[in-house]
Amino acid sequence: MMLALDIGNTNITLGVFDGEQLAATWRLSTDRSKMPDEYSVMLTQLLSLRGMSATDIDAAALCSVVPPLTPMFVELCRQYFNVEPLVVASGTRTGIRILYDNPRDVGADRIVDAAAAMKLYGGPVIVVDMGTATVFDAVTADGDYLGGAIAPGMTIAHDALFSNTSQLRRVELLAPETPIGKNTIHAIQSGIVLGYAELVRGMVARFDRELGGGAKVVATGGMAHVIEKEAGVFDDVNPDLTLTGLRLIHEMAS
């Protein structure tokens, strides 16, 4: 079995693959203060709840946008699972060519998502990752990663609105019945949810024109389902895109 780890700024997403089948997934809060022993205890307990153990893991791959945690999880894999993890970086073989001005500037999760989308859906393809940030990535029909765009995530925008105003409060991020809110809750929901739906729709249209038209659009990230219907541009919503990408990249390296 292969352990896949996606270390993000807000959450750490973990998955265990039994061959090509994703057998289990978990999400943990990213905590830079935790030690490898603490994470290992949490992970071994989670495995146990699914009838698995550390000895079942014979391979691992990870991507990380939190540099302080990368060596910690590498050590965790070595010490507790007795495997040398593949750490995805700019020089890793992924099946796509990185045409960013400086390939080292591209987040590892963006590389993994783009590689997975190209393999699963073909190109040209646009990836919309709606997590801590809202990230758009573009891959050509030939498998060239051109780059993308980065905006604050929906939750960040929502929290900033609450933190920097006196009378506005946090609300549940759901689409309101109408864009013209008749109360403050609906007004905030309209501005955030419908506003981001329009952001996604507009950016996807711009990317598609630049890619020559006909690009598939794949969404991932925790907030994708919130605007899926409102944006109306996703060909697929794949919450496990990054984990699947780690499996595919690990297969290339094996």
Side-chain angles (χ1 to χ4, degrees):
M1 292 184 172
M2 193 200 90
L3 174 66
L5 304 103
D6 172 22
I7 304 169
N9 288 296
T10 304
N11 296 303
I12 299 170
T13 306
L14 309 102
V16 173
F17 286 90
D18 186 357
E20 296 183 0
Q21 180 69 35
L22 185 57
T25 62
W26 304 277
R27 289 166 67 86
L28 307 175
S29 295
T30 302
D31 186 346
R32 294 166 177 80
S33 68
K34 277 189 168 58
M35 302 301 290
D37 290 343
E38 295 175 279
Y39 275 117
S40 68
V41 168
M42 295 172 66
L43 186 48
T44 52
Q45 288 178 340
L46 291 171
L47 287 169
S48 178
L49 289 172
R50 295 295 185 93
M52 295 178 275
S53 69
T55 57
D56 293 323
I57 305 300
D58 55 17
L62 68 86
C63 63
S64 172
V65 295
V66 188
L69 290 183
T70 306
M72 182 182 299
F73 276 88
V74 169
E75 180 59 28
L76 183 154
C77 289
R78 289 170 177 166
Q79 184 172 348
Y80 294 95
F81 297 102
N82 198 31
V83 295
E84 185 65 32
L86 170 67
V87 181
V88 177
S90 61
T92 305
R93 181 186 173 196
T94 61
I96 59 173
R97 292 174 292 276
I98 309 297
L99 301 186
Y100 221 54
D101 288 345
N102 183 354
R104 294 182 180 276
D105 286 344
V106 187
D109 55 342
R110 297 175 69 185
I111 296 172
V112 173
D113 284 350
M118 183 65 187
K119 180 71 173 179
L120 296 175
Y121 304 97
V125 61
I126 300 164
V127 180
V128 184
D129 186 351
M130 303 200 67
T132 305
T134 298
V135 181
F136 303 83
D137 291 302
V139 184
T140 70
D142 295 326
D144 293 331
Y145 174 85
L146 299 181
I150 304 172
M154 289 176 64
T155 302
I156 286 179
H158 179 224
D159 289 347
L161 189 65
F162 167 77
S163 300
N164 291 280
T165 58
S166 299
Q167 296 185 335
L168 300 183
R169 58 187 183 275
R170 288 190 173 93
V171 303
E172 188 176 6
L173 291 180
L174 299 173
E177 292 184 3
T178 63
I180 301 175
K182 303 297 195 298
N183 55 62
T184 303
I185 291 175
H186 290 166
I188 294 173
Q189 290 174 331
S190 177
I192 299 293
V193 178
L194 301 186
Y196 267 80
E198 293 303 315
L199 166 68
V200 168
R201 198 193 331 258
M203 291 299 292
V204 164
R206 288 172 178 265
F207 274 45
D208 188 52
R209 286 196 296 270
E210 193 167 338
L211 286 167
K216 298 178 182 66
V217 183
V218 182
T220 190
M223 302 305 295
H225 70 283
V226 176
I227 68 157
E228 177 183 3
K229 178 181 176 182
E230 306 304 325
V233 295
F234 301 148
D235 293 302
D236 192 23
V237 176
N238 188 338
D240 301 319
L241 186 68
T242 310
L243 296 178
T244 301
L246 287 168
R247 176 183 64 80
L248 294 168
I249 291 170
H250 187 272
E251 288 177 358
M252 293 180 201
S254 299

